[in-house]
Amino acid sequence: MHEIQSAVQFIDLNAFNVIFLFIVGFIGGLVSGFIGSGGAFVLTPGMMSLGVPGTVAVASNMCHKFPKAMIGAYKRFRYGQVDIKLGLVMAATATLGVQAGIKLQRLVLTQWGQAGSDLYVSLSFVAVLVIVGGYVFYDAWSTARDCSIDGTCAMARWLQSINLPPMIHFKRADIRISLWFTVPVGFATGLLAATIAVGGFVGVPGMIYVMGVSSFVASATELVIAFVMGFGGSVNWAMHGMVDIRLVLIILGGSLLGVQLGAIGTTYVKEHMIKIVMGTIMLIVAVSRGLAIPEYLNQLGVTAFEESTVTLVKQLSFYSMCIGLLTGAVIILGAMIKARRPEADQTFGVEALESSGAA
């Protein structure tokens, strides 16, 4: 048995760490506003790559998430992409999932200490990232043979056809589905959010593939869910002394800039680009977290890798994380620039015609 309080330590912050965390926050916010997953699959591993304990990274990430999600949700609500009713229904069960996830996290930390908790978070990341990221990436590049013309996939169409009261109609998402099919998706979203701070991994794909919500509405509505469950989870984590407010403020500062730019980007790109971005970053970050596992196994005495080997894979983990951050930023900003170029050319052409007419 390990005492929780003695196991948790906050890292020292130097200039490099502060700058790195701000950049991680900016790119996490950029990804969050663009795909609606909270960007936590960038932020949590980013903090852990600097030596932040897994539980502190998860708790601090969740604490910074709800104000950022509120801003992102408002931005995308103005673009008509948010289904408030769907977000609140999902958030109700997600909140229960968050509380269950926090209890599970504290149990792991108590039984196996910080190394066990870090290993648990990293293994969870790798498993979820590979499974969900691989499927989303495949779906984005495939011909979507199981989808109809309106983009609703076969499983979602089948679930929508089942009349299991109470049936709920979500106007903005334009779907009618049983409440009981929203419950497991919402609970899993909250459970995963409390475990590795990335509920959007389940929430967004769940709304798309299980409920039949479009990518735009699903990614926007998830921000509403993230706000509600993030607030409740942050209070719970803070009561257990797991929130590092310094990290919260640094990544929040970067995120608030990035999330607005990412939200604007959704109005300029095609829907499949959201899936491509999500899948690509997930798979790169999975590699980063996978490379961090040997260090935690050594600390638990499960393996006996040489120190030089552990140091090497730890550096590779950090560098691959940086590659993931840069890849996400390049894809999103590149897609926005490419999409806006025809609009700018058209505007220039109109102005040129007006000028020649006036002459």
Side-chain angles (χ1 to χ4, degrees):
M1 296 281 287
H2 297 263
E3 290 295 330
I4 292 178
Q5 294 299 330
S6 64
V8 176
Q9 295 181 352
F10 293 163
I11 66 168
D12 293 327
L13 290 179
N14 52 40
F16 173 81
N17 288 349
V18 171
I19 294 173
F20 179 80
L21 287 170
F22 185 86
I23 294 174
V24 168
F26 174 77
I27 298 178
L30 188 68
V31 173
S32 173
F34 191 73
I35 68 177
S37 72
F41 61 91
V42 170
L43 295 169
T44 302
M47 286 187 279
M48 292 182 69
S49 69
L50 292 180
V52 177
T55 45
V56 175
V58 170
S60 300
N61 192 1
M62 181 171 285
C63 186
H64 107 282
K65 180 186 295 183
F66 72 87
K68 181 186 70 176
M70 179 180 65
I71 293 176
Y74 174 71
K75 276 279 186 180
R76 297 189 65 174
F77 176 77
R78 291 179 61 188
Y79 298 137
Q81 299 174 350
V82 177
D83 191 314
I84 298 294
K85 182 179 178 181
L86 174 60
L88 294 178
V89 169
M90 292 278 289
T93 49
T95 301
L96 297 178
V98 167
Q99 303 309 316
I102 290 176
K103 289 183 180 296
L104 181 59
Q105 269 277 28
R106 296 189 68 243
L107 176 63
V108 172
L109 184 61
T110 302
Q111 293 294 327
W112 292 285
Q114 195 57 62
S117 177
D118 290 344
L119 178 62
Y120 167 62
V121 171
S122 296
L123 287 174
S124 300
F125 256 110
V126 172
V128 175
L129 286 167
V130 170
I131 295 172
V132 179
Y135 182 78
V136 170
F137 193 80
Y138 168 78
D139 178 69
W141 284 105
S142 70
T143 57
R145 291 169 296 179
D146 64 334
C147 292
S148 62
I149 296 176
D150 66 357
T152 304
C153 292
M155 181 169 63
R157 294 198 304 272
W158 175 63
L159 292 176
Q160 290 175 14
S161 68
I162 299 176
N163 187 16
L164 181 62
M167 301 292 292
I168 304 179
H169 176 252
F170 299 104
K171 184 177 180 180
R172 182 64 190 85
D174 194 25
I175 63 170
R176 183 175 181 271
I177 194 168
S178 171
L179 172 67
W180 301 110
F181 296 137
T182 71
V183 170
V185 176
F187 185 83
T189 299
L191 183 65
L192 201 60
T195 303
I196 53 178
V198 280
F201 277 173
V202 171
V204 176
M207 283 187 279
I208 294 173
Y209 301 113
V210 176
M211 301 171 62
V213 181
S214 71
S215 295
F216 283 124
V217 176
S219 60
T221 302
E222 201 279 331
L223 292 170
V224 176
I225 304 170
F227 166 69
V228 176
M229 69 180 181
F231 178 78
S234 297
V235 172
N236 195 326
W237 274 125
M239 290 176 64
H240 293 103
M242 299 296 179
V243 176
D244 188 338
I245 195 64
R246 303 171 305 161
L247 304 183
V248 173
L249 295 176
I250 294 171
I251 62 177
L252 181 60
S255 293
L256 291 178
L257 296 177
V259 72
Q260 299 186 60
L261 185 59
I264 294 172
T266 61
T267 64
Y268 291 103
V269 300
K270 295 181 180 179
E271 188 167 335
H272 74 277
M273 182 57 67
I274 294 178
K275 296 178 182 178
I276 292 176
V277 172
M278 184 187 295
T280 300
I281 303 178
M282 283 181 179
L283 295 179
I284 293 177
V285 176
V287 174
S288 173
R289 277 298 87 202
L291 290 172
I293 289 175
E295 179 184 9
Y296 306 138
L297 291 176
N298 261 24
Q299 292 174 358
L300 290 169
V302 177
T303 59
F305 293 110
E306 294 185 3
E307 188 63 31
S308 59
T309 302
V310 173
T311 301
L312 176 61
V313 294
K314 187 176 180 179
Q315 291 175 341
L316 291 175
S317 172
F318 179 78
Y319 293 142
S320 60
M321 167 57 59
C322 293
I323 292 174
L325 296 177
L326 291 174
T327 300
V330 168
I331 292 177
I332 294 174
L333 296 177
M336 290 172 60
I337 294 172
K338 182 179 179 180
R340 290 196 63 177
R341 187 173 296 141
E343 179 182 301
D345 293 341
Q346 184 178 2
T347 302
F348 177 77
V350 171
E351 291 176 349
L353 288 174
E354 290 177 348
S355 298
S356 62

